[in-house]
Amino acid sequence: MEKSNIKIIAGKYRGKKLYMNDKETTRSTKQILKESIFNSLQWEVPDSTWVEVFSGVGSIGLEAISRGAKKAYFLEKDPEAAKVLKRNIDSLKPEDSEKCETILGDSFDTIWDVIEKLKREKDKAIFYFDPPFAIREGYEDIYDKVQNLIKQLPKMNVEKILIEHQSDYEFPEYLGKYKKTKTKKFGKSAVTFYE
């Protein structure tokens, strides 16, 4: 495990380097892509709740916490990635690490635990999906599964949905009750926004 060139871009922890997993199972969101996402949402981040689905080392949720989000949930099934994520969370000040909750297990199942918590707290969240790229073996149908999951998310608990994906993949205009608002492309990666 090593510190990487993945940094928190702005806010309280600006410039802080995050630990990365040396395994190939996690791809961290590119800095330029992350910067663009947070520039788009900058006024919405303070006091918001984030759910980083397939979180890896947590670079999106931790960026949100650095910029004043009140809560971040991290969903990750790989135990090695979760260890690195824990180390990144533990490197924050205690009052901020307490705002982070990691849920280990298959994101397609554990997301419903988060939905229950959001319902209890009458809260809405910004959901960030960063599924393994569909070119990886065993993940050919990952985008279909993600779309089916998004269609089931209750509107009362969703502020926005962002999906990071291969830039040559086109997501539909609507996913159930959610409408696509934009797609931003950065080389091989893209982010599509739904509201």
Side-chain angles (χ1 to χ4, degrees):
M1 189 188 317
E2 53 185 309
K3 284 206 171 182
S4 67
N5 57 1
I6 300 293
K7 288 184 184 144
I8 291 178
I9 298 165
K12 188 173 182 178
Y13 296 101
R14 181 181 178 180
K16 181 180 181 51
K17 288 187 172 181
L18 298 177
Y19 291 101
M20 275 298 287
N21 199 336
D22 41 13
K23 276 171 57 177
E24 279 300 300
T25 54
T26 53
R27 274 177 312 111
S28 191
T29 300
K30 276 210 216 88
Q31 292 292 89
I32 184 169
L33 184 137
K34 186 164 74 167
E35 195 161 0
S36 169
I37 291 162
F38 281 94
N39 285 346
S40 298
L41 300 174
Q42 59 183 330
W43 310 115
E44 296 169 60
V45 179
D47 291 326
S48 59
T49 296
W50 286 66
V51 181
E52 190 176 357
V53 190
F54 316 104
S55 67
V57 299
S59 89
I60 294 290
L62 294 172
E63 183 74 40
I65 292 289
S66 178
R67 293 170 186 245
K70 65 179 177 185
K71 180 80 183 171
Y73 294 96
F74 299 90
L75 311 187
E76 179 53 57
K77 78 171 185 181
D78 182 284
E80 287 305 307
K83 269 187 209 156
V84 183
L85 171 60
K86 182 181 184 324
R87 196 160 166 192
N88 282 328
I89 291 170
D90 289 347
S91 73
L92 306 181
K93 292 187 167 138
E95 67 269 20
D96 292 319
S97 59
E98 283 166 14
K99 297 174 184 171
C100 300
E101 189 175 331
T102 304
I103 301 171
L104 192 57
D106 188 326
S107 296
F108 289 103
D109 300 327
T110 57
I111 195 167
W112 299 109
D113 300 337
V114 175
I115 293 291
E116 281 311 307
K117 288 171 195 271
L118 292 171
K119 280 182 179 166
R120 276 200 303 274
E121 283 150 33
K122 297 186 169 49
D123 198 6
K124 285 186 163 201
I126 297 171
F127 286 79
Y128 192 90
F129 287 84
D130 182 10
F133 272 5
I135 43 177
R136 279 207 12 222
E137 200 175 321
Y139 289 99
E140 295 78 10
D141 64 345
I142 190 81
Y143 293 151
D144 294 336
K145 287 171 76 175
V146 166
Q147 289 179 49
N148 288 334
L149 176 61
I150 288 169
K151 286 174 188 172
Q152 297 170 57
L153 294 178
K155 211 161 152 187
M156 59 191 256
N157 301 116
V158 175
E159 194 65 59
K160 271 190 175 53
I161 294 166
L162 286 72
I163 310 160
E164 188 177 329
H165 57 92
Q166 286 163 246
S167 53
D168 57 3
Y169 186 88
E170 197 68 41
F171 275 88
E173 203 56 38
Y174 286 92
L175 287 176
K177 44 200 162 308
Y178 302 108
K179 184 182 189 338
K180 179 159 76 173
T181 55
K182 60 185 162 193
T183 296
K184 296 181 158 206
K185 296 190 178 187
F186 305 88
K188 290 179 181 166
S189 301
V191 178
T192 294
F193 292 67
Y194 282 89
E195 282 184 35

